[in-house]
Amino acid sequence: MFCFDQSLLIPALDLAVDSRQRRARGFISHAHFDHLAPHELAFCTPVTARFYRQRIGGNRTVRELPFREPFVWDDHQLTTFPAGHILGAAMLLVETS
């Protein structure tokens, strides 16, 4: 389900996790610079989305994933949970059907 290619990847979704390189799709767990890149589409919590847009700049396309609200994507369900690291930081649960 996961692999590592210069960042953690979920190949079935072509989703990079906390990648510092620009990707088509990236999940951002929190808004520290070492977890950010100008992805084509970013997934993160609403608070992290605000920080991300301010820090990266430009008109970024973001799919906001509020805590504990499942998002269904193909045969997968993504759910964020508070990580307790900084404001908006999230852990990501990926479930397949």
Side-chain angles (χ1 to χ4, degrees), residues 18-85:
D18 287 338
S19 178
R20 294 177 66 185
Q21 296 179 345
R22 180 181 170 87
R23 303 283 185 149
R25 290 181 286 278
F27 174 75
I28 302 166
S29 68
H30 63 289
H32 285 163
F33 271 120
D34 61 335
H35 295 261
L36 304 178
H39 305 300
E40 291 176 35
L41 171 60
F43 293 83
C44 56
T45 65
V47 172
T48 297
R50 288 189 194 128
F51 290 139
Y52 174 66
R53 286 183 174 117
Q54 285 183 328
R55 294 189 125 187
I56 295 295
N59 188 16
R60 297 281 150 218
T61 303
V62 177
R63 172 66 164 104
E64 296 181 5
L65 303 174
F67 292 131
R68 296 181 185 88
E69 291 184 20
F71 169 66
V72 177
W73 180 5
D74 293 331
D75 294 335
H76 298 78
Q77 179 173 288
L78 281 65
T79 309
T80 56
F81 293 91
H85 181 50

